[in-house]
């Protein structure tokens, strides 16, 4: 009897030790994006600007058309890690609450060029040991660990096979990396013979790596300026991507990842271009693994929507309301032990919605960001990007041509302005 009790205790200790070891693994987000959670079409009052108010040579939209559905097709998406690890796992999301998505096969490999992968690194991805997974409405699924060692700043190709007709609206539109779509189940193809391409991420919302004990994540939380709206595609020129490169150049900072949680058109207070910042904060920030800092750059769209000629008063915001919303985000982060770097709102003089009211709101929000003491650190993107002789406008060399979105050079200046030493506090 004593022998049986002893054996039982030994087994329990062994199981406990195994569970403890698994719990001690440090899984940290190395890449992520923010699906559009709010299923809303543009309202009638959201009209485009009159031609005479547009810049003389406005840049084209960086968002090519996307298919409304995928059926018996493979989609291959390209992402870049920000830190490395000796294993990884994928996160897939059906965040908009659309009908169930049937994923028949998933593979991940190191990306080489265009739609090609390194076949020697190609790995099958499983979910609870199964090669396929159903993503139910509003759900996120996490893959089993994949024994693929990856370095920092490494491009990966993630290939999904859609067995049934699948609504593609659970996506991140502005992916900035070319996505390839081909007929049939060709997830393991060394080179995907694509029938069409776009620059959106479908259902893929995050990648984690099993990293060192000190590894942690910095979330860049914002709108189109964080999303990289006017940066060069396939070149990783958005300021969060450039910040990730800066961190990897500093030995003391190489344990930190940077996750871009920007959504073009996003507002602090109200839904439309995705759920509002207040609504999506839990899922896009707090649910990420290993987060210890947030860089918060939100509010310019709350201001601009207030200036839309036909926008109802229910869509208007005041500087005080934007400040209250930002303050709530900081409080929610602090409640989880996460520090927040406040980023001032960049200039938009010359935009068709610019006027004395919108500029007054922007200046008031920036004054609060700089001087309220609410944040753990500040980065003054306004001071970095504004024209010294016309401070309501972007510097000419940073202006993408639409008078609101910084170009590659502007994004580089923004990334360089961040005091990365604060991340070691």
């Amino acid at each position: 009897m004593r022998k049986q009790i002893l054996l039982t205790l030994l087994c329990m200790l062994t199981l406990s030790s195994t569970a403890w070891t698994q719990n001690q693994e440090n899984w940290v987000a190395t890449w992520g994006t923010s699906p559009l959670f709010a299923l809303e079409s543009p309202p009638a009052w959201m009209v485009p600007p009159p031609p005479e108010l547009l810049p003389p040579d406005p840049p084209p939209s960086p968002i090519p058309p996307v298919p409304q559905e995928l059926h018996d097709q493979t989609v291959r998406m390209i992402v870049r890690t920000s830190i490395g690890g000796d294993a990884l796992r994928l996160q897939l999301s059906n965040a908009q609450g659309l009908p169930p998505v049937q994923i028949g096969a998933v593979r991940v490999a190191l990306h080489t060029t265009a739609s090609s992968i390194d076949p020697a690194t190609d790995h099958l991805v499983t979910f609870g040991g199964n090669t396929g997974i159903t993503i139910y409405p509003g759900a996120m699924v996490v893959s089993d660990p994949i024994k693929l060692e990856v370095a920092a700043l490494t491009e990966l190709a993630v290939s999904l096979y859609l067995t049934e007709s699948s609504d593609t609206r659970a996506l991140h539109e502005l992916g900035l990396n070319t996505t390839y779509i081909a007929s049939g189940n060709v997830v393991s193809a060394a080179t995907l013979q694509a029938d069409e391409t776009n620059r959106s991420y479908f259902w893929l919302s995050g990648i984690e790596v099993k990293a060192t004990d000190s590894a942690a994540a910095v979330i860049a939380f914002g709108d189109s300026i964080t999303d990289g709206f006017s940066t060069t595609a396939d070149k990783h020129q958005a300021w969060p991507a450039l910040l990730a490169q800066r961190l990897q150049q500093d030995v003391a900072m190489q344990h930190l990842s940077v996750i871009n949680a920007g959504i073009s058109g996003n507002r602090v207070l109200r839904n439309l271009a995705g759920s509002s910042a207040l609504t999506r904060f839990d899922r896009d920030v707090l649910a990420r693994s290993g987060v210890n800092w947030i860089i918060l750059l939100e509010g310019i769209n709350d201001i601009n929507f207030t200036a839309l000629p036909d926008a109802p008063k229910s869509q208007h915001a005041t500087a005080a309301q934007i400040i209250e919303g930002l303050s709530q985000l900081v409080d929610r982060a602090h409640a989880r032990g996460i520090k927040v770097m406040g980023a001032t709102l960049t200039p938009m003089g010359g935009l068709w919605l610019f006027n004395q009211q919108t500029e007054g709101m922007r200046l008031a929000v920036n004054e609060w960001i700089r001087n309220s003491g609410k944040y753990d650190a500040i980065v003054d993107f306004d001071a970095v990007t504004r024209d010294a002789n016309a401070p309501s406008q972007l510097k000419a060399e940073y202006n993408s041509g639409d008078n609101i979105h910084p170009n590659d050079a502007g994004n580089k200046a923004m990334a360089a302005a961040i005091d990365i030493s604060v991340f070691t506090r």
Side-chain angles (χ1 to χ4, degrees), residues 17-34:
S17 175
T18 302
W20 174 257
T21 301
Q22 290 174 344
N23 290 336
Q24 290 304 295
E25 291 178 349
N26 190 27
W27 289 93
V28 176
T30 186
W31 175 89
T33 194
S34 298

Side-chain angles (χ1 to χ4, degrees), residues 320-377:
Q321 290 170 337
I322 296 169
I323 289 168
E324 181 181 16
L326 294 173
S327 182
Q328 281 291 311
L329 294 175
V330 176
D331 287 344
R332 287 161 66 183
H334 284 167
R336 295 290 190 91
I338 299 170
K339 295 180 179 180
V340 185
M341 176 181 287
T344 53
L345 306 182
T346 51
M348 59 178 186
L351 186 72
W352 73 288
L353 297 172
F354 175 83
N355 56 44
Q356 287 186 348
Q357 179 192 12
T358 59
E359 181 65 356
M361 291 172 67
R362 187 182 74 89
L363 294 176
V365 172
N366 281 350
E367 176 71 12
W368 176 82
I369 292 171
R370 291 186 184 105
N371 299 312
S372 68
K374 187 73 177 181
Y375 294 92
D376 303 285

Side-chain angles (χ1 to χ4, degrees), residues 21-358:
T21 301
Q22 290 174 344
N23 290 336
Q24 290 304 295
E25 291 178 349
N26 190 27
W27 289 93
V28 176
T30 186
W31 175 89
T33 194
S34 298
L36 300 180
F37 299 137
L39 191 59
E40 296 185 45
S41 300
W45 51 263
M46 194 174 172
V47 295
E52 64 271 17
L53 296 182
L54 287 171
D57 189 21
S61 171
I63 306 174
V66 299
Q68 293 184 345
E69 66 176 21
L70 294 172
H71 177 214
D72 187 27
Q73 290 170 289
T74 295
V75 55
R76 178 168 288 176
M77 296 164 284
I78 311 303
V79 306
R80 191 181 72 169
T81 63
S82 51
I83 58 171
D86 56 14
L88 56 87
R89 57 190 183 192
L90 309 184
Q91 297 171 336
L92 305 178
S93 173
N94 187 11
Q96 284 189 319
L98 297 169
V101 178
Q102 303 288 339
I103 306 290
V106 182
R107 299 190 78 92
V108 62
L110 299 187
H111 177 235
T112 54
T113 59
S115 68
S116 298
I117 62 170
D118 177 359
T121 67
D122 187 32
H123 282 65
L124 175 69
V125 180
T126 59
F127 300 83
N130 300 311
T131 57
I133 186 74
T134 300
I135 315 176
Y136 290 98
M140 183 186 76
V141 297
V142 181
S143 76
D144 300 328
I146 305 150
K147 293 182 180 179
L148 174 61
E149 186 173 352
V150 293
L153 307 180
T154 297
E155 288 192 337
L156 299 172
V158 178
S159 302
L160 311 180
Y161 171 58
L162 286 305
T163 59
E164 307 292 336
S165 180
S166 302
D167 191 321
T168 62
R169 287 175 291 175
L171 84 169
H172 184 85
E173 287 184 306
L174 185 62
L176 284 176
N177 289 307
T178 303
T179 290
Y180 305 88
I181 299 175
S183 299
N185 183 357
V186 288
V187 291
S188 59
T191 298
L192 207 69
Q193 302 301 320
D195 302 315
E196 58 182 303
T197 62
N198 55 68
R199 295 195 199 110
S200 296
Y201 290 119
F202 300 90
W203 300 289
L204 181 65
S205 61
I207 298 179
E208 300 173 329
V209 291
K210 190 170 71 171
T212 61
D213 291 343
S214 62
V218 178
I219 305 289
F221 191 67
D223 47 46
S224 56
I225 296 172
T226 297
D227 212 3
F229 189 87
S230 289
T231 61
T232 303
D234 298 311
K235 297 294 184 182
H236 308 295
Q237 292 297 299
W239 69 261
L242 296 173
L243 174 60
Q245 291 176 201
R246 272 194 71 199
L247 294 175
Q248 289 305 311
Q249 292 165 0
D250 187 326
V251 174
M253 300 291 171
Q254 289 176 348
H255 63 292
L256 294 173
S257 68
V258 181
I259 309 302
N260 190 331
I263 292 182
S264 294
N266 199 227
R267 293 186 286 178
V268 174
L269 304 174
R270 294 176 177 85
N271 298 345
L272 194 62
S275 296
S276 70
L278 288 168
T279 302
R280 70 186 183 93
F281 192 71
D282 284 7
R283 192 158 189 174
D284 283 355
V285 177
L286 301 184
R288 301 279 183 190
S289 55
V291 179
N292 66 3
W293 272 91
I294 301 163
I295 304 174
L296 178 56
L297 176 59
E298 281 264 17
I300 202 68
N301 288 313
D302 298 79
I303 294 171
N304 286 336
F305 274 61
T306 299
L308 283 169
D310 298 326
K313 287 189 176 180
S314 62
Q315 297 296 320
H316 290 190
T318 65
Q321 290 170 337
I322 296 169
I323 289 168
E324 181 181 16
L326 294 173
S327 182
Q328 281 291 311
L329 294 175
V330 176
D331 287 344
R332 287 161 66 183
H334 284 167
R336 295 290 190 91
I338 299 170
K339 295 180 179 180
V340 185
M341 176 181 287
T344 53
L345 306 182
T346 51
M348 59 178 186
L351 186 72
W352 73 288
L353 297 172
F354 175 83
N355 56 44
Q356 287 186 348
Q357 179 192 12
T358 59

Side-chain angles (χ1 to χ4, degrees), residues 376-389:
D376 303 285
I378 301 296
V379 56
D380 201 340
F381 285 158
D382 172 43
V384 170
T385 59
R386 69 189 179 209
D387 187 327
N389 297 316

